Amino acid sequence: MTAQVTPMMAQFLEIKAQHRDALLFYRMGDFYEMFFDDAVAAAEALDIALTKRGKHLGEDIPMCGVPVHSAEGYFLTLIRKGFRVAVCEQMEDPAEAKKRGSKAVVHRAVVRLVTPGTLTEDTLLEARRHNYLVAYADIRGESSLAWTDISTGAFHVMPCPLVRLAPELARLAPREILVADGMSNDTVSLIEETGAAITPLSPSSFDSGSAERRIQSLFQVKSIESFGSFTRSDLAAMGAIIDYLEITQKGKLPLLRAPSRTLAQRMMQIDAATRRNLELTTSINGGRAGSLLATIDRTLTAGGARLLEHRLSSPSTQIPIVTERLDAVSACVADSALSETLRDTLRKVPDMDRALSRLGLDRGGPRDLAAIRNGLAQAAHLHETLRNQDLPKVLSDSVNALSGHDDLLNLLEAALIAEPPLLARDGGFIAPGYDADLDDTRQLRDEGKGIIGKMQAEFIATTGIQSLKIKHNNVLGYFIETTATHAQKMLSPPLSETFIHRQTTANQVRFTTVELSEIETKILNAGNRALEIEKTLFQSLKQAVLTRNEQVGAAAAALAEIDLTAALAHLARSENWVRAQIDDSRDFVVASGRHPVVERALQKEGEPFIANDCTLTAEGDKAALTLLTGPNMAGKSTYLRQNALIAILAQMGSFVPATSAKIGLVSQVFSRVGASDDLARGRSTFMVEMVETAAILNQADERALVILDEIGRGTATYDGLSIAWATLEHLHEVNRCRALFATHYHEMTSLADRMDGVKNATVAVREWEGEVIFLHEVRPGAADRSYGVQVAKLAGLPASVVARAHDVLDALEKGEREGGERQKALIDDLPLFSATPAPAPQSVKPSPVADRLKDIHPDMLTPKEALDLIYELKSLEKD
């Protein structure tokens, strides 16, 4: 027999039918409950107990639940595992529902869809990183990319042909990407490679006509021309984001800033492979530690950290902009006292952007108001410190944005206590003296507790029962409690005329009086009244902030700019970095350049970093290439990477790790360093290498900086050499760019004699008693050997393998000199491999100098004895 569907379950099924693609968190009292397939999936993902509740169509209904107060942590776990969550709240008090009948169901509705790109809570976000929601629109062959971070209000759009989509998505690293239903599989596959959640929307969400109306409505303008000129695809991408936010936020749209149109030509273009190879914002293992971002981050505020990541991901190609940023950093480097004063103040600046966003979405609380207050207070302090200073444009513009908030700051300082609670419903966050009505109500509420204590003392005196207590619970309210033994006295005249029996439990008897009931009403009303007043005041304070959200947002942006400038100055001073000269030439000249991440790692081990020069001087429209040879482990890859990083750092507005640098504007940075299989897409290591190399040769322009490491090593020797040779020729003749080309193919060094603009360089090594010593110095010239066998020995290969490799190498080199047939004969004559290790090389007899030095204790020598020792050692060395 089929069980009848209960009204509550019928309501759940109705709401669930509208949100089939999300887990429905159905509010029931203090818990969010999930049922049916949602419960099964959530229980597994969250590792919580799966139970059951009633039956549906003759089957048990699976159920699981999580407490409301700790739901955010569960949201985060589900989002990271690829789920979307529909939050269904009770929209009325259960008491109201009961008025409609005993079987009436509390009205519920979904108030929010939690998705990866629409998070705002601090507990769900990384404070120092943006959380981007992206939309890609393609209208009649014209494409655009729009993105927003609703937790900060950033809103941007840019033209984005399909060939630029992957690099731009790599730059933004979005959490969620919106696409139109029916988008081509090739485009979807390209987007899937980012690892972001993909959300398809109906084509109507991308309609450019509707999009324009959505933008006008959101920003309450009659025309969007004041924001700039936008194409149809721009409008479609922005409109899709707004439509999606209306769907997920259920009409409570975030405080987005006016849309800003970005052009790719204004940013250095860095593709996904290059970002990964250079480890700009994440290391090869996927974490932040070990990346360039983690190494250079000296920011003190969340806003400053997000701005740093943005600048590092999008270095500018506009020389005036780069110069202005460097001027600001230079000013702080020159005035270290000013810089440290700024940093002392910035340490106290909270994350105003995200507090403002939560208030706008009605998810904020008293602490968000306090964050705005504290941030504006520090802004006022910085303005007072800097307003009379002669500052560069970037800093002076920022200082101007810090003023004009006195009215709002005074309001919040007067209204809020120093450390308010998280939630408005907790009350107690409005400061005494701010609202007279609230003060009076609080006085009644607080003195009521004293009155209860006084009444208890009077009742004890009247009854003579010392154990009598006045207590409170949510069912009975205030009541008088005594033991069953003493209760007989109170149930008998004359006390029974005053004390009215209410309840008897196993060990206690409870009473009330007319006077106690009257006092209870006044006290309870005072408490609820005080809470209602505070909630009303919270709404008025929130509205006061939201009315000035643009000015508050501008102050937050100014604080982030100042923080980033001071942080880069602190980095430059502490690491001995210098300002690069940026111009519109095609020179790339670095003196004593260093790799910041490797240098930091060596510092921790107490080892020095060997700095090296790099000179790529491109005359006219000719190329400038350096062909770098040298053994493995000598530092070729580090040298290549450090010069690419120096270009990126300079154009993001930072000083660079060198003693001097002149950077002719770099439009693109391409890197092909290292490789791995891409088995999921059926690509071998060599195939990945060739795909990345093809992208460089097809896209690099004359202002590009290209670094290539060991092209062609993944295939047969002569195949690899021919590919590397042809690649270098193409870079020289067609791309005409600046490039560093590391190779083991020594045959290629002859190209330096045949091509203008190509020069040889090598990483120096020394041999000592059969051992190889890496000097890590880049010098002009070509390497004569690869030292691969010596490196293999250092890696710990068995001695027998190393000895065998030496035999084979000698035979191959001898055969190469004497001709192909002779080489084959020599190889055929080689004895078969023997597992018996080759005889260990005889140890070198210790020298008399070494023997003498063993007995010397330098700390015990006088200057005269030291001098005599030097003469003695000199004599022994001659013998």
Side-chain angles (χ1 to χ4, degrees), residues 855-870:
D855 301 326
I856 298 299
H857 299 286
D859 291 340
M860 301 178 66
L861 294 177
T862 66
K864 179 67 169 60
E865 290 170 339
L867 182 61
D868 291 342
L869 177 63
I870 292 174

Side-chain angles (χ1 to χ4, degrees), residues 588-722:
F588 187 89
V589 183
V590 176
S592 299
R594 314 188 300 277
H595 191 300
V597 182
V598 176
E599 184 178 33
R600 174 70 62 80
L602 290 175
Q603 284 174 349
K604 293 179 179 178
E605 298 174 5
E607 298 289 334
F609 183 93
I610 306 302
N612 282 294
D613 300 342
C614 179
T615 302
L616 297 170
T617 305
E619 299 178 358
D621 63 349
K622 295 182 180 180
L625 296 94
T626 294
L627 188 65
L628 185 64
T629 53
N632 288 313
M633 296 292 293
K636 298 194 303 297
S637 296
T638 298
Y639 178 72
L640 265 58
R641 285 185 171 100
Q642 76 187 36
N643 286 293
L645 295 182
I646 286 171
I648 291 169
L649 286 166
Q651 289 185 212
M652 71 160 275
S654 170
F655 280 28
V656 298
T659 56
S660 68
K662 179 185 178 184
I663 310 293
L665 193 68
V666 176
S667 61
Q668 304 162 296
V669 170
F670 289 106
S671 165
R672 219 237 58 76
V673 179
S676 59
D677 291 331
D678 188 356
L679 299 180
R681 300 178 65 189
R683 290 177 174 177
S684 66
T685 301
F686 180 66
M687 185 61 176
V688 172
E689 178 183 325
M690 290 299 98
V691 167
E692 293 179 2
T693 303
I696 295 171
L697 298 181
N698 289 325
Q699 297 177 47
D701 61 28
E702 65 177 13
R703 285 196 171 275
L705 176 64
V706 176
I707 61 172
L708 294 169
D709 191 12
E710 307 297 352
I711 294 298
R713 65 181 173 181
T715 186
T717 301
Y718 290 114
D719 281 351
L721 173 58
S722 62

Side-chain angles (χ1 to χ4, degrees), residues 653-804:
S654 170
F655 280 28
V656 298
T659 56
S660 68
K662 179 185 178 184
I663 310 293
L665 193 68
V666 176
S667 61
Q668 304 162 296
V669 170
F670 289 106
S671 165
R672 219 237 58 76
V673 179
S676 59
D677 291 331
D678 188 356
L679 299 180
R681 300 178 65 189
R683 290 177 174 177
S684 66
T685 301
F686 180 66
M687 185 61 176
V688 172
E689 178 183 325
M690 290 299 98
V691 167
E692 293 179 2
T693 303
I696 295 171
L697 298 181
N698 289 325
Q699 297 177 47
D701 61 28
E702 65 177 13
R703 285 196 171 275
L705 176 64
V706 176
I707 61 172
L708 294 169
D709 191 12
E710 307 297 352
I711 294 298
R713 65 181 173 181
T715 186
T717 301
Y718 290 114
D719 281 351
L721 173 58
S722 62
I723 291 170
W725 190 295
T727 297
L728 184 65
E729 287 183 337
H730 192 282
L731 289 171
H732 183 270
E733 300 296 331
V734 179
N735 302 106
R736 298 180 181 275
C737 59
R738 293 161 286 183
L740 296 171
F741 196 114
T743 185
H744 275 107
Y745 299 126
H746 299 145
E747 297 86 346
M748 293 181 63
T749 57
S750 64
L751 288 172
D753 299 325
R754 300 166 53 184
M755 292 183 179
D756 291 336
V758 176
K759 62 181 181 180
N760 289 322
T762 184
V763 186
V765 297
R766 289 273 178 85
E767 282 191 87
W768 175 255
E769 296 182 357
E771 302 290 336
V772 61
I773 301 171
F774 301 113
L775 303 181
H776 303 295
E777 294 177 5
V778 176
R779 299 173 179 174
D784 57 351
R785 296 180 59 189
S786 289
Y787 297 96
V789 176
Q790 287 88 340
V791 173
K793 181 180 178 181
L794 291 175
L797 261 66
S800 57
V801 174
V802 174
R804 175 65 171 174

Side-chain angles (χ1 to χ4, degrees), residues 18 109 115 144 159 217 255 340 417 464 641 707 720 756 767 840 853:
Q18 301 168 19
T115 71
S144 291
S217 174
L255 298 172
E340 290 308 311
I417 64 172
R641 285 185 171 100
I707 61 172
D756 291 336
E767 282 191 87
L853 286 173

Side-chain angles (χ1 to χ4, degrees), residues 427-605:
F429 55 87
I430 297 295
Y434 176 71
D435 184 89
D437 191 14
L438 176 61
D439 289 344
D440 292 342
T441 307
R442 282 176 171 172
Q443 185 177 8
L444 177 60
R445 178 198 63 193
D446 298 338
E447 289 185 358
K449 295 178 181 178
I451 293 172
I452 291 294
K454 185 178 179 181
M455 289 185 69
Q456 177 176 298
E458 291 175 352
F459 290 152
I460 291 173
T462 302
T463 62
I465 302 172
Q466 296 298 320
S467 61
L468 179 148
K469 303 288 185 187
I470 296 182
K471 296 184 177 180
H472 180 273
N473 64 32
N474 292 332
V475 177
L476 298 179
Y478 283 104
F479 56 86
I480 303 162
E481 185 177 84
T482 187
T483 61
T485 304
H486 292 127
Q488 291 302 319
K489 183 177 181 181
M490 297 174 64
L491 289 170
S492 304
L495 293 180
S496 62
E497 298 175 5
T498 303
F499 297 95
I500 304 167
H501 177 259
R502 295 199 66 183
Q503 188 181 54
T504 299
T505 65
N507 299 312
Q508 308 289 337
V509 181
R510 293 166 178 172
F511 300 85
T512 189
T513 70
V514 174
E515 183 183 10
L516 180 60
S517 298
E518 292 175 350
I519 289 296
E520 176 186 10
T521 301
K522 291 180 181 179
I523 292 172
L524 293 181
N525 286 346
N528 292 335
R529 170 72 176 151
L531 192 54
E532 290 303 316
I533 293 173
E534 286 204 78
K535 288 180 180 178
T536 302
L537 292 174
F538 173 78
Q539 293 299 325
S540 67
L541 292 171
K542 182 182 78 171
Q543 193 56 45
V545 171
L546 297 180
T547 301
R548 294 182 55 84
N549 76 84
E550 291 185 7
Q551 295 90 331
V552 173
L559 288 168
E561 187 73 58
I562 294 172
D563 182 27
L564 176 57
T565 301
L568 291 177
H570 184 270
L571 173 71
R573 286 195 307 273
S574 61
E575 302 298 329
N576 196 27
W577 289 14
V578 299
R579 176 173 179 167
Q581 176 189 343
I582 310 292
D583 58 28
D584 60 359
S585 71
R586 294 175 60 235
D587 293 341
F588 187 89
V589 183
V590 176
S592 299
R594 314 188 300 277
H595 191 300
V597 182
V598 176
E599 184 178 33
R600 174 70 62 80
L602 290 175
Q603 284 174 349
K604 293 179 179 178
E605 298 174 5

Side-chain angles (χ1 to χ4, degrees), residues 81-102:
K81 293 188 176 182
F83 293 96
R84 293 154 57 91
V85 176
V87 182
C88 180
E89 294 285 0
Q90 296 178 177
M91 306 306 290
E92 64 177 345
D93 190 283
E96 292 296 318
K98 286 184 179 180
K99 293 178 182 178
R100 299 194 300 271
S102 60

